PDB file of all heavy atoms in Angstrom:
ATOM      1  N   LYS G 172       1.939   1.264   0.858  1.00 58.00           N
ATOM      2  CA  LYS G 172       2.810   2.375   0.934  1.00 58.00           C
ATOM      3  C   LYS G 172       3.535   2.612  -0.400  1.00 58.00           C
ATOM      4  O   LYS G 172       3.704   3.778  -0.903  1.00 58.00           O
ATOM      5  CB  LYS G 172       3.812   2.342   2.018  1.00 58.00           C
ATOM      6  CG  LYS G 172       3.241   2.502   3.337  1.00 58.00           C
ATOM      7  CD  LYS G 172       4.382   2.302   4.399  1.00 58.00           C
ATOM      8  CE  LYS G 172       3.768   2.428   5.770  1.00 58.00           C
ATOM      9  NZ  LYS G 172       4.864   2.430   6.832  1.00 58.00           N
ATOM     10  N   ALA G 176       3.345   5.877  -2.771  1.00 44.00           N
ATOM     11  CA  ALA G 176       4.544   6.627  -3.217  1.00 44.00           C
ATOM     12  C   ALA G 176       4.606   6.827  -4.753  1.00 44.00           C
ATOM     13  O   ALA G 176       5.052   7.844  -5.134  1.00 44.00           O
ATOM     14  CB  ALA G 176       5.831   5.853  -2.678  1.00 44.00           C
ATOM     15  N   THR G 186       3.292  17.970 -12.250  1.00 40.00           N
ATOM     16  CA  THR G 186       3.355  19.393 -11.963  1.00 40.00           C
ATOM     17  C   THR G 186       4.684  20.043 -12.315  1.00 40.00           C
ATOM     18  O   THR G 186       4.741  21.211 -12.646  1.00 40.00           O
ATOM     19  CB  THR G 186       3.066  19.650 -10.413  1.00 40.00           C
ATOM     20  OG1 THR G 186       4.084  18.919  -9.653  1.00 40.00           O
ATOM     21  CG2 THR G 186       1.648  19.148 -10.101  1.00 40.00           C
ATOM     22  N   CYS G 188       6.344  19.386 -15.080  1.00 59.00           N
ATOM     23  CA  CYS G 188       6.359  19.473 -16.545  1.00 59.00           C
ATOM     24  C   CYS G 188       5.720  20.712 -17.084  1.00 59.00           C
ATOM     25  O   CYS G 188       4.477  20.579 -17.309  1.00 59.00           O
ATOM     26  CB  CYS G 188       5.728  18.216 -17.180  1.00 59.00           C
ATOM     27  SG  CYS G 188       6.596  16.728 -16.840  1.00 59.00           S
ATOM     28  N   LEU G 191       6.139  25.906 -20.493  1.00 94.00           N
ATOM     29  CA  LEU G 191       6.753  27.231 -20.646  1.00 94.00           C
ATOM     30  C   LEU G 191       8.277  27.072 -20.708  1.00 94.00           C
ATOM     31  O   LEU G 191       9.055  27.330 -19.764  1.00 94.00           O
ATOM     32  CB  LEU G 191       6.343  28.146 -19.586  1.00 94.00           C
ATOM     33  CG  LEU G 191       6.436  29.652 -19.706  1.00 94.00           C
ATOM     34  CD1 LEU G 191       5.663  30.040 -20.951  1.00 94.00           C
ATOM     35  CD2 LEU G 191       5.883  30.366 -18.524  1.00 94.00           C
ATOM     36  N   ASN G 195       9.625  25.458 -26.544  1.00 97.00           N
ATOM     37  CA  ASN G 195       8.242  25.698 -26.947  1.00 97.00           C
ATOM     38  C   ASN G 195       8.156  27.107 -27.552  1.00 97.00           C
ATOM     39  O   ASN G 195       7.387  27.318 -28.407  1.00 97.00           O
ATOM     40  CB  ASN G 195       7.279  25.328 -25.843  1.00 97.00           C
ATOM     41  CG  ASN G 195       7.095  23.805 -25.680  1.00 97.00           C
ATOM     42  OD1 ASN G 195       7.420  23.053 -26.633  1.00 97.00           O
ATOM     43  ND2 ASN G 195       6.589  23.423 -24.610  1.00 97.00           N
ATOM     44  N   LEU G 199       6.525  29.049 -31.625  1.00 97.00           N
ATOM     45  CA  LEU G 199       5.622  30.049 -31.870  1.00 97.00           C
ATOM     46  C   LEU G 199       5.856  30.917 -33.074  1.00 97.00           C
ATOM     47  O   LEU G 199       7.057  31.153 -33.334  1.00 97.00           O
ATOM     48  CB  LEU G 199       5.428  31.038 -30.706  1.00 97.00           C
ATOM     49  CG  LEU G 199       5.121  30.321 -29.273  1.00 97.00           C
ATOM     50  CD1 LEU G 199       5.122  31.389 -28.180  1.00 97.00           C
ATOM     51  CD2 LEU G 199       3.770  29.582 -29.311  1.00 97.00           C
ATOM     52  N   GLU G 200       4.820  31.292 -33.811  1.00 97.00           N
ATOM     53  CA  GLU G 200       5.061  32.043 -35.012  1.00 97.00           C
ATOM     54  C   GLU G 200       4.048  33.264 -35.174  1.00 97.00           C
ATOM     55  O   GLU G 200       2.937  33.193 -34.599  1.00 97.00           O
ATOM     56  CB  GLU G 200       4.806  31.117 -36.270  1.00 97.00           C
ATOM     57  CG  GLU G 200       5.721  30.004 -36.273  1.00 97.00           C
ATOM     58  CD  GLU G 200       5.441  29.059 -37.515  1.00 97.00           C
ATOM     59  OE1 GLU G 200       4.616  29.370 -38.359  1.00 97.00           O
ATOM     60  OE2 GLU G 200       6.052  27.992 -37.677  1.00 97.00           O
ATOM     61  N   VAL G 208      -1.417  29.000 -30.125  1.00 98.00           N
ATOM     62  CA  VAL G 208      -0.318  29.288 -29.127  1.00 98.00           C
ATOM     63  C   VAL G 208      -0.609  28.432 -27.842  1.00 98.00           C
ATOM     64  O   VAL G 208       0.331  27.731 -27.354  1.00 98.00           O
ATOM     65  CB  VAL G 208      -0.334  30.855 -28.678  1.00 98.00           C
ATOM     66  CG1 VAL G 208       0.529  31.012 -27.477  1.00 98.00           C
ATOM     67  CG2 VAL G 208       0.131  31.567 -29.870  1.00 98.00           C
ATOM     68  N   GLU G 209      -1.825  28.404 -27.402  1.00 96.00           N
ATOM     69  CA  GLU G 209      -2.113  27.630 -26.150  1.00 96.00           C
ATOM     70  C   GLU G 209      -1.930  26.147 -26.355  1.00 96.00           C
ATOM     71  O   GLU G 209      -1.534  25.354 -25.381  1.00 96.00           O
ATOM     72  CB  GLU G 209      -3.554  27.913 -25.675  1.00 96.00           C
ATOM     73  CG  GLU G 209      -3.666  29.400 -25.090  1.00 96.00           C
ATOM     74  CD  GLU G 209      -4.968  29.691 -24.592  1.00 96.00           C
ATOM     75  OE1 GLU G 209      -5.949  29.086 -24.818  1.00 96.00           O
ATOM     76  OE2 GLU G 209      -5.099  30.761 -23.831  1.00 96.00           O
ATOM     77  N   ALA G 210      -2.012  25.732 -27.542  1.00 97.00           N
ATOM     78  CA  ALA G 210      -1.711  24.264 -27.813  1.00 97.00           C
ATOM     79  C   ALA G 210      -0.212  23.937 -27.600  1.00 97.00           C
ATOM     80  O   ALA G 210       0.068  22.847 -27.210  1.00 97.00           O
ATOM     81  CB  ALA G 210      -2.117  23.882 -29.219  1.00 97.00           C
ATOM     82  N   ALA G 215      -3.115  30.823 -21.035  1.00 96.00           N
ATOM     83  CA  ALA G 215      -2.581  31.953 -20.506  1.00 96.00           C
ATOM     84  C   ALA G 215      -2.904  32.225 -19.006  1.00 96.00           C
ATOM     85  O   ALA G 215      -4.038  31.754 -18.710  1.00 96.00           O
ATOM     86  CB  ALA G 215      -2.992  33.193 -21.279  1.00 96.00           C
ATOM     87  N   ASP G 216      -1.959  32.783 -18.285  1.00 95.00           N
ATOM     88  CA  ASP G 216      -2.346  33.048 -16.910  1.00 95.00           C
ATOM     89  C   ASP G 216      -3.079  34.414 -16.753  1.00 95.00           C
ATOM     90  O   ASP G 216      -3.759  34.595 -15.746  1.00 95.00           O
ATOM     91  CB  ASP G 216      -1.047  33.196 -16.023  1.00 95.00           C
ATOM     92  CG  ASP G 216      -0.394  31.773 -16.069  1.00 95.00           C
ATOM     93  OD1 ASP G 216      -0.989  30.787 -15.557  1.00 95.00           O
ATOM     94  OD2 ASP G 216       0.755  31.695 -16.410  1.00 95.00           O
ATOM     95  N   CYS G 218      -4.871  37.731 -19.361  1.00 97.00           N
ATOM     96  CA  CYS G 218      -5.077  38.506 -20.634  1.00 97.00           C
ATOM     97  C   CYS G 218      -5.867  39.734 -20.412  1.00 97.00           C
ATOM     98  O   CYS G 218      -6.755  39.787 -19.517  1.00 97.00           O
ATOM     99  CB  CYS G 218      -5.883  37.566 -21.615  1.00 97.00           C
ATOM    100  SG  CYS G 218      -5.113  36.244 -22.223  1.00 97.00           S
ATOM    101  N   THR G 221      -6.889  46.044 -24.788  1.00 92.00           N
ATOM    102  CA  THR G 221      -6.710  47.506 -24.745  1.00 92.00           C
ATOM    103  C   THR G 221      -6.717  47.860 -26.166  1.00 92.00           C
ATOM    104  O   THR G 221      -6.002  47.459 -27.069  1.00 92.00           O
ATOM    105  CB  THR G 221      -5.263  47.847 -24.126  1.00 92.00           C
ATOM    106  OG1 THR G 221      -5.359  47.222 -22.813  1.00 92.00           O
ATOM    107  CG2 THR G 221      -5.127  49.365 -24.077  1.00 92.00           C
ATOM    108  N   ALA G 224      -6.507  45.379 -29.019  1.00 97.00           N
ATOM    109  CA  ALA G 224      -5.503  44.403 -28.968  1.00 97.00           C
ATOM    110  C   ALA G 224      -5.538  43.622 -27.639  1.00 97.00           C
ATOM    111  O   ALA G 224      -6.136  44.209 -26.693  1.00 97.00           O
ATOM    112  CB  ALA G 224      -4.111  45.058 -28.849  1.00 97.00           C
ATOM    113  N   ASP G 233       7.556  38.221 -12.621  1.00 87.00           N
ATOM    114  CA  ASP G 233       8.680  38.399 -11.760  1.00 87.00           C
ATOM    115  C   ASP G 233       9.697  37.316 -11.974  1.00 87.00           C
ATOM    116  O   ASP G 233      10.832  37.407 -11.383  1.00 87.00           O
ATOM    117  CB  ASP G 233       8.260  38.414 -10.251  1.00 87.00           C
ATOM    118  CG  ASP G 233       7.447  39.552  -9.939  1.00 87.00           C
ATOM    119  OD1 ASP G 233       7.555  40.689 -10.612  1.00 87.00           O
ATOM    120  OD2 ASP G 233       6.518  39.495  -9.033  1.00 87.00           O
ATOM    121  N   LYS G 235      10.047  33.525 -14.837  1.00 94.00           N
ATOM    122  CA  LYS G 235       9.896  33.212 -16.290  1.00 94.00           C
ATOM    123  C   LYS G 235       8.560  33.523 -16.753  1.00 94.00           C
ATOM    124  O   LYS G 235       7.483  33.159 -16.074  1.00 94.00           O
ATOM    125  CB  LYS G 235      10.325  31.815 -16.458  1.00 94.00           C
ATOM    126  CG  LYS G 235       9.432  30.771 -16.000  1.00 94.00           C
ATOM    127  CD  LYS G 235      10.006  29.355 -16.479  1.00 94.00           C
ATOM    128  CE  LYS G 235       9.024  28.217 -16.042  1.00 94.00           C
ATOM    129  NZ  LYS G 235       9.467  26.947 -16.458  1.00 94.00           N
ATOM    130  N   PHE G 241      -2.027  39.950 -29.239  1.00 98.00           N
ATOM    131  CA  PHE G 241      -2.906  39.457 -30.351  1.00 98.00           C
ATOM    132  C   PHE G 241      -3.697  40.683 -30.981  1.00 98.00           C
ATOM    133  O   PHE G 241      -4.229  41.392 -30.169  1.00 98.00           O
ATOM    134  CB  PHE G 241      -3.923  38.329 -29.893  1.00 98.00           C
ATOM    135  CG  PHE G 241      -3.197  37.106 -29.470  1.00 98.00           C
ATOM    136  CD1 PHE G 241      -2.853  37.005 -28.028  1.00 98.00           C
ATOM    137  CD2 PHE G 241      -2.886  36.121 -30.235  1.00 98.00           C
ATOM    138  CE1 PHE G 241      -2.254  35.796 -27.631  1.00 98.00           C
ATOM    139  CE2 PHE G 241      -2.320  34.890 -29.829  1.00 98.00           C
ATOM    140  CZ  PHE G 241      -1.943  34.810 -28.488  1.00 98.00           C
ATOM    141  N   ASP G 244      -7.177  38.304 -33.303  1.00 92.00           N
ATOM    142  CA  ASP G 244      -6.885  36.905 -32.860  1.00 92.00           C
ATOM    143  C   ASP G 244      -5.685  36.344 -33.579  1.00 92.00           C
ATOM    144  O   ASP G 244      -5.560  35.123 -33.757  1.00 92.00           O
ATOM    145  CB  ASP G 244      -8.105  36.111 -33.164  1.00 92.00           C
ATOM    146  CG  ASP G 244      -7.942  34.713 -32.414  1.00 92.00           C
ATOM    147  OD1 ASP G 244      -7.405  34.691 -31.274  1.00 92.00           O
ATOM    148  OD2 ASP G 244      -8.434  33.635 -32.976  1.00 92.00           O
ATOM    149  N   THR G 250       7.331  38.383 -26.518  1.00 96.00           N
ATOM    150  CA  THR G 250       8.624  38.681 -25.725  1.00 96.00           C
ATOM    151  C   THR G 250       8.667  37.460 -24.654  1.00 96.00           C
ATOM    152  O   THR G 250       7.610  36.868 -24.273  1.00 96.00           O
ATOM    153  CB  THR G 250       8.536  40.055 -24.911  1.00 96.00           C
ATOM    154  OG1 THR G 250       7.332  40.053 -24.208  1.00 96.00           O
ATOM    155  CG2 THR G 250       8.436  41.182 -26.020  1.00 96.00           C
ATOM    156  N   ASP G 252      11.117  36.137 -20.934  1.00 95.00           N
ATOM    157  CA  ASP G 252      12.187  36.367 -19.958  1.00 95.00           C
ATOM    158  C   ASP G 252      12.370  35.134 -19.083  1.00 95.00           C
ATOM    159  O   ASP G 252      11.254  34.553 -18.649  1.00 95.00           O
ATOM    160  CB  ASP G 252      11.909  37.618 -19.150  1.00 95.00           C
ATOM    161  CG  ASP G 252      13.185  38.109 -18.364  1.00 95.00           C
ATOM    162  OD1 ASP G 252      14.301  37.822 -18.822  1.00 95.00           O
ATOM    163  OD2 ASP G 252      13.072  38.518 -17.253  1.00 95.00           O
TER     164      ASP G 252
END
Side-chain angles (χ1 to χ4, degrees):
K172 287 182 181 182
T186 58
C188 294
L191 202 55
N195 283 343
L199 302 176
E200 298 178 10
V208 169
E209 289 181 346
D216 293 302
C218 289
T221 305
D233 295 330
K235 72 176 184 177
F241 297 90
D244 195 38
T250 59
D252 191 32

